[in-house]
Amino acid sequence: MVQAWYMADLSADDDQRLPHKTEPFEELSLDQLKERTGCLYWKIEDEDVENSPLVEKIRQERGYNYKDVITVSPDKLENYETKIKSFFEEHLHSDEEIRLILEGSGYFDVRDTDDRWVRVLVERGDLLVLPAGSYHRFTCCSKNYIKACRLFCGEPVWKPYPRGEESDKMTARAEYLKQMTAAA
Ligand code: KMT
Ligand code: NI
């Protein structure tokens, strides 16, 4: 099942690739993750994760007709250092960020409704949907390797909007906040 927890505060010289759990450990259940961040999550148990019937069903139901594969590692991703830095800058998108993990592992950090960072460990067989307008960031784990499918409805728009005045005013942000208060 999903592993998600409230993060300890990060200092500038901390290694973002470590788990950063709090003491005592504050874990979130799948329901809590959904209620507090709006994230959706499925565990894909099939041997062939990429071609799983459950993934196909979710793609059809949610209209995810676009798919590509991204590998984030020093030797597979061009400009790795620059990209990993930008992945870890807090941002939002105008659309969902949908990742199906095929190999390796990483952490998606998502803000909850109280603006606290929730860290979600993603590894093989995890399908995570970050809602449009949710503030988040991504980092690899210490092994610096993750391979994932990126799904999208229609022509993909990957543009990140760093958290700030502009992103706060976006329609996607307003819609996200509205949904989160309606669900509360
Ligand atoms: C993103 O947009 O943050 C990414 O694509 C990260 C790598 S996919 C696990
Ligand atoms: Ni993103």
Side-chain angles (χ1 to χ4, degrees):
M1 247 320 130
V2 71
Q3 290 184 60
W5 57 88
Y6 281 110
M7 269 186 93
D9 290 333
L10 273 192
S11 315
D13 57 349
D14 276 330
D15 182 353
Q16 68 190 48
R17 295 171 170 83
L18 298 177
H20 295 290
K21 296 180 177 174
T22 54
E23 182 65 51
F25 184 44
E26 276 189 278
E27 197 171 20
L28 283 84
S29 67
L30 183 50
D31 284 346
Q32 287 169 331
L33 178 68
K34 190 175 174 192
E35 277 160 25
R36 298 176 192 183
T37 70
C39 284
L40 306 177
Y41 169 92
W42 291 267
K43 183 82 204 174
I44 308 304
E45 306 274 7
D46 300 273
E47 188 72 25
D48 185 356
V49 172
E50 197 173 347
N51 299 301
S52 153
L54 176 56
V55 173
E56 277 316 304
K57 182 168 171 269
I58 294 164
R59 287 184 66 183
Q60 288 199 1
E61 282 173 1
R62 301 185 63 84
Y64 301 153
N65 53 355
Y66 174 91
K67 176 179 113 173
D68 69 12
V69 175
I70 183 172
T71 303
V72 182
S73 76
D75 53 331
K76 292 269 163 58
L77 191 68
E78 236 177 274
N79 301 319
Y80 174 78
E81 285 304 331
T82 314
K83 287 212 179 106
I84 209 79
K85 232 182 231 149
S86 82
F87 288 156
F88 202 63
E89 274 161 20
E90 182 172 3
H91 61 270
L92 61 70
H93 307 277
S94 52
D95 302 271
E96 290 177 338
E97 182 163 330
I98 311 141
R99 297 292 184 270
L100 170 64
I101 314 306
L102 304 177
E103 292 172 13
S105 58
Y107 297 120
F108 278 99
D109 297 337
V110 198
R111 293 282 191 185
D112 80 350
T113 44
D114 292 327
D115 221 23
R116 293 176 72 194
W117 280 121
V118 173
R119 177 152 274 200
V120 184
L121 169 67
V122 290
E123 46 196 6
R124 179 183 169 73
D126 289 337
L127 173 56
L128 182 68
V129 177
L130 306 169
S134 63
Y135 284 119
H136 64 271
R137 62 188 181 190
F138 172 81
T139 179
C140 285
C141 300
S142 301
K143 287 181 183 160
N144 289 319
Y145 180 76
I146 190 164
K147 183 177 175 186
C149 280
R150 303 191 296 184
L151 307 178
F152 206 88
C153 297
E155 268 309 295
V157 181
W158 308 125
K159 186 176 164 59
Y161 294 84
R163 185 168 185 170
E165 265 180 50
E166 191 198 346
S167 66
D168 277 340
K169 286 186 195 138
M170 286 172 62
T171 314
R173 183 65 189 161
E175 293 282 318
Y176 170 73
L177 291 175
K178 203 166 82 188
Q179 274 172 30
M180 293 307 292
T181 30

